[in-house]
Amino acid sequence: MIKRKEPFNEETALKVSKNIRVRFNETDPLGIVWHGIYITYFEDGREAFGREHGISYLDVQSQGFTTPIVKSICEHKLSLRYGDVARIETTFVATQAAKMIFRYVIYDTKNEVACTGETVQVFLDSNNNLMLTNPPFYEEWKRKVGL
């Protein structure tokens, strides 16, 4: 079985950009952001995306679903430090499968790439059953945003 990659057009993808300031409690004793915090930054990006595009966690929950993360990838390029203002760019990757894929690029204060990553979320109904097809509200949202 050959696994084919979904087509992805960076130019037409839905994106959100959000600035965050690195807080003291996110750093190690040297003032460098602890590696695990970048996953939290990805969530900050997802939440900003959801609020801007009408697909927030609360929107999904109000339809009787949850979207747990089943895969996360994080590649560190440069270190962020206490006090830095970083920018998180979150991009939604359209797919026909019953899942949500987000890609992330975190830029440092010099606009250099500090970290990249991706998360995959699936849909569970109110009985925690895995959805094998897209829930109707999600299909409607995708039509509404032109995907």
Side-chain angles (χ1 to χ4, degrees):
M1 180 176 177
I2 297 174
K3 192 173 184 181
R4 69 179 173 86
K5 217 170 176 146
E6 303 266 348
F8 177 68
N9 184 343
E10 182 74 29
E11 296 301 315
T12 60
L14 292 177
K15 295 181 184 183
V16 167
S17 194
K18 174 184 176 47
N19 288 338
I20 55 106
R21 181 175 299 277
V22 174
R23 298 176 302 181
F24 179 76
N25 69 330
E26 298 168 341
T27 64
D28 65 15
L30 299 175
I32 298 169
V33 171
W34 178 68
H35 67 277
I37 294 295
Y38 291 87
I39 297 294
T40 302
Y41 295 159
F42 292 172
E43 180 148 4
D44 291 340
R46 277 193 314 280
E47 286 190 343
F49 181 93
R51 284 189 301 274
E52 184 164 322
H53 291 289
I55 192 85
S56 72
Y57 290 129
L58 292 176
D59 295 323
V60 172
Q61 184 183 33
S62 74
Q63 296 296 318
F65 294 91
T66 58
T67 54
I69 291 178
V70 294
K71 180 179 179 182
S72 58
I73 299 167
C74 187
E75 295 185 25
H76 304 275
K77 312 291 184 185
L78 300 170
S79 296
L80 295 176
R81 298 180 171 278
Y82 173 62
D84 283 353
V85 176
R87 181 170 50 92
I88 305 163
E89 188 173 274
T90 305
T91 304
F92 179 82
V93 179
T95 178
Q96 294 301 314
K99 60 185 172 182
M100 298 175 75
I101 303 170
F102 291 95
R103 291 193 181 139
Y104 311 91
V105 180
I106 301 177
Y107 297 91
D108 68 6
T109 56
K110 297 176 188 168
N111 207 35
E112 294 177 341
V113 175
C115 182
T116 62
E118 181 177 290
T119 56
V120 177
Q121 295 169 263
V122 296
F123 291 95
L124 299 181
D125 68 13
S126 59
N127 294 317
N128 287 326
N129 295 311
L130 177 66
M131 300 297 298
L132 300 178
T133 59
N134 285 316
F137 84 93
Y138 184 57
E139 284 293 334
E140 177 59 30
W141 174 80
K142 290 196 317 183
R143 275 192 292 281
K144 190 168 129 182
V145 297
L147 298 175

